[in-house]
Tab-separated table of all heavy atoms in Angstrom:
chain	number	residue	atom	x	y	z
A	104	GLY	N	23.253	210.908	63.988
A	104	GLY	CA	22.393	210.032	64.930
A	104	GLY	C	23.140	208.757	65.227
A	104	GLY	O	24.335	208.632	65.220
A	105	ILE	N	22.284	207.663	65.336
A	105	ILE	CA	22.723	206.479	65.636
A	105	ILE	C	22.939	205.780	64.364
A	105	ILE	O	22.175	205.640	63.512
A	105	ILE	CB	21.738	205.568	66.513
A	105	ILE	CG1	21.549	206.442	67.926
A	105	ILE	CG2	22.217	204.261	66.744
A	105	ILE	CD1	20.492	205.724	68.846
A	106	ALA	N	24.201	205.190	64.293
A	106	ALA	CA	24.689	204.547	63.154
A	106	ALA	C	25.620	203.299	63.391
A	106	ALA	O	26.317	203.353	64.356
A	106	ALA	CB	25.348	205.401	62.091
A	107	ARG	N	25.567	202.322	62.411
A	107	ARG	CA	26.458	201.168	62.535
A	107	ARG	C	27.742	201.600	61.981
A	107	ARG	O	27.809	202.371	61.045
A	107	ARG	CB	25.848	200.065	61.725
A	107	ARG	CG	26.253	198.722	61.726
A	107	ARG	CD	26.299	197.745	62.843
A	107	ARG	NE	25.184	197.335	63.641
A	107	ARG	CZ	24.568	196.123	63.552
A	107	ARG	NH1	24.931	195.236	62.733
A	107	ARG	NH2	23.706	195.946	64.467
A	108	SER	N	28.956	201.254	62.632
A	108	SER	CA	30.213	201.706	62.118
A	108	SER	C	31.100	200.516	61.880
A	108	SER	O	31.093	199.597	62.706
A	108	SER	CB	30.815	202.578	63.203
A	108	SER	OG	32.169	202.747	63.128
A	109	ARG	N	31.871	200.570	60.835
A	109	ARG	CA	32.864	199.495	60.527
A	109	ARG	C	34.245	200.020	60.695
A	109	ARG	O	34.543	201.131	60.156
A	109	ARG	CB	32.658	199.109	58.990
A	109	ARG	CG	33.657	198.147	58.405
A	109	ARG	CD	33.470	196.768	58.978
A	109	ARG	NE	34.061	195.788	58.323
A	109	ARG	CZ	35.360	195.391	58.349
A	109	ARG	NH1	36.190	196.079	59.164
A	109	ARG	NH2	35.929	194.484	57.620
A	110	LEU	N	35.099	199.392	61.541
A	110	LEU	CA	36.575	199.864	61.620
A	110	LEU	C	37.169	199.614	60.386
A	110	LEU	O	37.149	198.647	59.761
A	110	LEU	CB	37.146	199.043	62.680
A	110	LEU	CG	36.649	199.167	64.169
A	110	LEU	CD1	37.390	198.231	65.141
A	110	LEU	CD2	36.668	200.571	64.655
A	111	VAL	N	37.893	200.684	60.083
A	111	VAL	CA	38.882	200.693	58.818
A	111	VAL	C	40.064	199.935	59.225
A	111	VAL	O	40.752	200.084	60.269
A	111	VAL	CB	39.210	202.151	58.376
A	111	VAL	CG1	40.295	202.197	57.365
A	111	VAL	CG2	37.876	202.807	58.010
A	112	GLY	N	40.503	199.113	58.141
A	112	GLY	CA	41.846	198.494	58.202
A	112	GLY	C	41.846	197.109	58.899
A	112	GLY	O	43.054	196.634	59.120
A	113	VAL	N	40.845	196.542	59.356
A	113	VAL	CA	40.807	195.279	60.066
A	113	VAL	C	39.593	194.472	59.643
A	113	VAL	O	38.531	194.915	59.416
A	113	VAL	CB	40.813	195.579	61.559
A	113	VAL	CG1	39.570	196.064	62.175
A	113	VAL	CG2	41.234	194.258	62.326
A	114	ASP	N	39.843	193.068	59.702
A	114	ASP	CA	38.713	192.149	59.506
A	114	ASP	C	38.831	191.274	60.762
A	114	ASP	O	39.929	190.705	60.999
A	114	ASP	CB	38.910	191.373	58.296
A	114	ASP	CG	37.887	190.183	58.085
A	114	ASP	OD1	36.697	190.461	58.426
A	114	ASP	OD2	38.220	189.027	57.828
A	115	ALA	N	37.607	191.247	61.567
A	115	ALA	CA	37.701	190.385	62.653
A	115	ALA	C	36.754	189.119	62.404
A	115	ALA	O	35.954	189.169	61.487
A	115	ALA	CB	37.085	191.228	63.851
A	116	PRO	N	36.843	188.105	63.077
A	116	PRO	CA	36.107	186.921	62.845
A	116	PRO	C	34.557	187.286	63.087
A	116	PRO	O	34.145	188.149	63.963
A	116	PRO	CB	36.496	185.987	64.041
A	116	PRO	CG	37.828	186.387	64.386
A	116	PRO	CD	37.856	187.870	64.141
Side-chain angles (χ1 to χ4, degrees):
I105 296 175
R107 194 66 53 111
S108 165
R109 172 75 164 79
L110 294 178
V111 172
V113 68
D114 174 48

